[in-house]
Amino acid sequence: MTALDSVSANTHLQRSAEDLLENLAHPVLLVGEDGKVEYANIAGQACLGGWILGLCFQDLFPDHLETLSISTLAREPFVLVSRTHIRFRALIGSVTRGAVLLSLFPDTSQAPALSSEGDELTGLLKRRDMNDRLDQVLSANSNSVAVHCLDLDRFKVVNDTLGHGVGDLLLRKVADRLRTACRKEDHIARVGGDEFIVVQTSVADAKDAERLASRLVDLIGRTYVLSGHTVNIGVSIGVALGEGCVVGRDLLRNGDLALYEAKRAGRGRFRVFEPGMDAALRERRELEIELRRALALKQFEVHYQPFVDLSSDRVIGFEALVRWNHPTRGRISPADFIPLAEETGLINKIGEWVLRTACTTAAGWADDLTVAVNISPVQFKADTLVDSIVSALGQAGLPPHRLEIEITESALLDNTDSVLRTLHALRNLGVQISMDDFGTGYSSLSYLQKFPFHKIKIDRSFVQSAEAGSDSEAILRAIAGLGVSLGMAITAEGVETIEQLERIRSEHCTYVQGYFTGRPVPADRINSFLSP
Ligand code: C2E
Ligand code: MG
Ligand code: MG
């Protein structure tokens, strides 16, 4: 066997091992040093409540007080009770650098974790009883059964801001509304903190199930008044139809997949399971595994797109835009993999790499050129951002004023105070801060008032449809005017034609960035944009 053969045999073996792990009937989790779930196979996701990557181990197993580590736990099986009250026997194995591999087996040795008296808070069924009833109704006539998997939207915010007392009241009210919406023959369970399952019986057809799901979305989304507070939440629902299915577990898994799609589609809605969803999830998981390896395999590259100062018509800096050169799929757009990287937490590592690469590259440019780096909202939530930036600047020898960071409004949506603290710390360092894609999100003017951004970047959708007299033109003009009065520079993104450039000029924008003035290029080609 040649050396090459042995490399490909190894790769082959690794792939087969990953496939095996992925499809193993019992749950396997990989928990990182920081206590967060880095990997869960399909069985792990299915029985622990869907998409759990990035969640804290402690949140999944709230009763487990010890920190999960090889040293603190004996290497013999121990019992874990999940947040959904399922008991497991767990076996622990070591992986490098503090990561822990856990395999879970059903715990048949003891009585059920909690008696079957129903959920104390809401009086609804618990998961275990619901599973039994589901199997019963399925064995009677599976064609007349539908399962609705519900997950409340924004419940955590209510709990965190108004306290657990109000959170509990809210859960009770939700339970009441569920009872109102369902019929007596239906079964309703609370299966997690803010997760519910409705087993609908006597379902005549798919429309029947959709009607109930739609009613639930509407009812739960109506305003609540709790201890004098007005509270608004929503619900996402995944619906799976019995249709010949005899195993409750499969139906619940389908419901979970549909729920996942409902959340991805923007929450506050329902989705009915379709067989394609399974394939779509597998595809995403494959991409996720590949994304995990991409950094180590050096498949990322940073391209740089110039921005031009309209008063001097000179390039004054470049935006760093990450590219993924996939060996078989070709170049994958950041618009396609950044959301996945954000969901899985991988954006922290990728973002850090982009930041370091961009700072090092920019340090080799003329002193008056800046580099702009996009920072994901997820990176803002980790409290290491300021340190990373200080370290990247120090290592590259780049003065802070030559770094600009771009954030989108979504970074400011939750945790506004802690994000504002981070932004102020960065501003005090001398780093410039831009509000990216302005106009596409909530466009809340209060954000502009709360933080003195150096720059507002107007999203390209307004630039590209800003014909004379259009709404976009009016918006463009209003934002440009706002920038002038607030003392913030304005960049118009996505300028592709000379006409668009002239329009931008007449609206008194400060900078322009777009294909017309320069497409993103690899680092070694930026000289073409700079005057000799
Ligand atoms: P963005 O930050 O708004 O970046 C501008 C995007 O618009 C880039 O797309 C750029 O190639 C594209 N663009 C620039 N001029 C034009 C034009 O004239 N016409 C058109 N049609 N498009 C133009 P790209 O590189 O595909 O990146 C998409 C988004 O992905 C970025 O939007 C940013 O939100 C995100 N992204 C890219 N790199 C990173 C990164 O390193 N970290 C993070 N967190 N996000 C990144
Ligand atoms: Mg940007
Ligand atoms: Mg943008």
Side-chain angles (χ1 to χ4, degrees):
M1 193 152 83
T2 66
L4 251 172
D5 283 344
S6 105
V7 168
S8 95
N10 268 337
T11 319
H12 205 71
L13 190 64
Q14 193 185 345
R15 291 233 164 209
S16 316
E18 277 169 5
D19 278 350
L20 186 75
L21 191 65
E22 181 71 357
N23 293 299
L24 219 55
H26 69 85
V28 177
L29 310 183
L30 180 68
V31 181
E33 196 181 14
D34 56 1
K36 293 195 174 142
V37 177
E38 285 185 0
Y39 171 80
N41 65 356
I42 294 176
Q45 306 228 8
C47 73
L48 290 170
W51 196 261
I52 56 170
L53 299 185
L55 292 189
C56 279
F57 177 77
Q58 218 80 44
D59 292 339
L60 291 174
F61 299 99
D63 295 335
H64 189 77
L65 297 175
E66 282 168 276
T67 324
L68 193 67
S69 85
I70 320 242
S71 52
T72 49
L73 290 167
R75 286 187 174 231
E76 41 193 58
F78 57 100
V79 172
L80 278 175
V81 181
S82 77
R83 61 177 174 173
T84 46
H85 306 308
I86 309 179
R87 287 180 79 102
F88 295 103
R89 267 185 326 122
L91 265 175
I92 205 159
S94 68
V95 188
T96 49
R97 277 185 282 125
V100 165
L101 194 68
L102 267 181
S103 16
L104 305 177
F105 301 90
D107 178 38
T108 44
S109 63
Q110 301 190 30
L114 294 152
S115 66
S116 336
E117 284 165 357
D119 175 47
E120 282 146 40
L121 185 67
T122 57
L124 298 176
L125 295 174
K126 287 180 183 167
R127 184 183 284 270
R128 184 175 292 269
D129 306 302
M130 192 273 311
N131 284 345
D132 293 346
R133 300 225 189 152
L134 177 58
D135 285 338
Q136 281 163 18
V137 293
L138 280 177
S139 62
N141 178 4
S142 65
N143 289 339
S144 67
V145 178
V147 159
H148 301 249
C149 297
L150 288 76
D151 192 344
L152 302 184
D153 308 325
R154 298 186 300 279
F155 174 73
K156 192 176 173 322
V157 180
V158 175
N159 225 11
D160 291 350
T161 52
L162 299 176
H164 293 263
V166 174
D168 284 356
L169 278 179
L170 177 58
L171 290 171
R172 284 205 188 113
K173 290 266 183 187
V174 168
D176 289 346
R177 292 189 189 182
L178 287 174
R179 287 190 192 94
T180 315
C182 297
R183 287 164 314 171
K184 277 219 168 49
E185 315 84 80
D186 301 335
H187 307 285
I188 314 170
R190 182 163 82 112
V191 295
D194 62 347
E195 293 160 36
F196 300 83
I197 285 177
V198 172
V199 176
Q200 182 185 7
T201 57
S202 317
V203 179
D205 53 17
K207 286 264 167 297
D208 215 5
E210 288 176 22
R211 259 193 301 276
L212 177 62
S214 149
R215 202 160 127 71
L216 294 176
V217 169
D218 171 51
L219 265 181
I220 296 177
R222 294 190 190 173
T223 302
Y224 301 77
V225 180
L226 307 165
S227 311
H229 301 281
T230 315
V231 172
N232 287 294
I233 54 161
V235 66
S236 306
I237 305 182
V239 184
L241 300 162
E243 283 171 353
C245 173
V246 279
V247 187
R249 201 184 55 207
D250 292 349
L251 202 56
L252 289 170
R253 176 160 185 272
N254 292 351
D256 258 345
L257 282 169
L259 170 61
Y260 181 62
E261 288 298 322
K263 288 189 198 170
R264 287 204 345 123
R267 299 172 186 270
R269 64 198 69 207
F270 73 89
R271 283 281 180 274
V272 180
F273 172 77
E274 296 159 18
M277 287 178 181
D278 213 352
L281 188 70
R282 264 169 206 279
E283 159 92 358
R284 281 173 49 78
R285 293 184 56 78
E286 227 164 72
L287 201 64
E288 183 202 319
I289 292 172
E290 288 169 344
L291 193 58
R292 235 171 243 292
R293 296 198 192 115
L295 259 184
L297 296 179
K298 300 198 174 11
Q299 290 171 353
F300 291 120
E301 188 186 357
V302 179
H303 282 197
Y304 298 88
Q305 184 180 31
F307 37 88
V308 172
D309 182 342
L310 284 171
S311 64
S312 62
D313 282 344
R314 291 174 71 96
V315 170
I316 54 143
F318 294 84
E319 175 171 3
L321 294 160
V322 68
R323 300 288 177 257
W324 180 9
N325 300 315
H326 189 283
T328 54
R329 296 173 198 240
R331 182 168 287 163
I332 304 180
S333 156
D336 292 331
F337 72 84
I338 296 279
L340 180 62
E342 289 178 331
E343 271 174 51
T344 53
L346 285 169
I347 190 66
N348 287 312
K349 285 190 184 142
I350 300 172
E352 168 113 24
W353 179 84
V354 172
L355 176 71
R356 289 186 185 276
T357 308
C359 288
T360 310
T361 306
W365 299 342
D367 292 347
D368 54 354
L369 291 173
T370 56
V371 67
V373 176
N374 293 285
I375 304 284
S376 149
V378 176
Q379 289 172 274
F380 264 92
K381 281 192 193 138
D383 28 280
T384 48
L385 185 63
V386 177
D387 290 346
S388 295
I389 290 180
V390 170
S391 142
L393 288 169
Q395 207 170 37
L398 188 74
H401 70 268
R402 290 184 54 201
L403 173 66
E404 188 175 305
I405 64 159
E406 298 194 358
I407 71 162
T408 52
E409 283 172 81
S410 45
L412 287 158
L413 276 185
D414 347 305
N415 279 326
T416 312
D417 287 344
S418 82
V419 171
L420 286 178
R421 264 198 305 280
T422 308
L423 286 177
H424 279 289
L426 291 175
R427 207 187 146 96
N428 292 342
L429 269 179
V431 172
Q432 312 217 39
I433 296 163
S434 308
M435 164 66 79
D436 202 357
D437 303 341
F438 193 73
T440 52
Y442 291 76
S443 308
S444 168
L445 299 182
S446 71
Y447 296 143
L448 299 181
Q449 203 181 24
K450 277 189 192 141
F451 185 79
F453 289 94
H454 291 95
K455 215 188 239 186
I456 303 171
K457 300 185 75 173
I458 306 181
D459 189 70
R460 68 165 183 262
S461 51
F462 300 103
V463 174
Q464 293 177 347
S465 55
E467 303 89 30
S470 66
D471 288 350
S472 293
E473 189 198 35
I475 293 172
L476 197 73
R477 182 167 298 162
I479 302 179
L482 202 68
V484 173
S485 15
L486 294 171
M488 297 176 189
I490 300 289
T491 301
E493 293 191 86
V495 171
E496 292 182 354
T497 63
I498 180 93
E499 291 78 22
Q500 287 165 355
L501 181 64
E502 290 317 320
R503 194 164 289 285
I504 294 307
R505 233 185 246 287
S506 67
E507 299 303 347
H508 306 293
C509 291
T510 334
Y511 308 110
V512 63
Q513 180 182 348
Y515 292 169
F516 186 74
T517 46
R519 286 180 180 257
V521 293
D524 57 5
R525 290 196 10 225
I526 67 150
N527 282 338
S528 58
F529 296 118
L530 304 172
S531 25

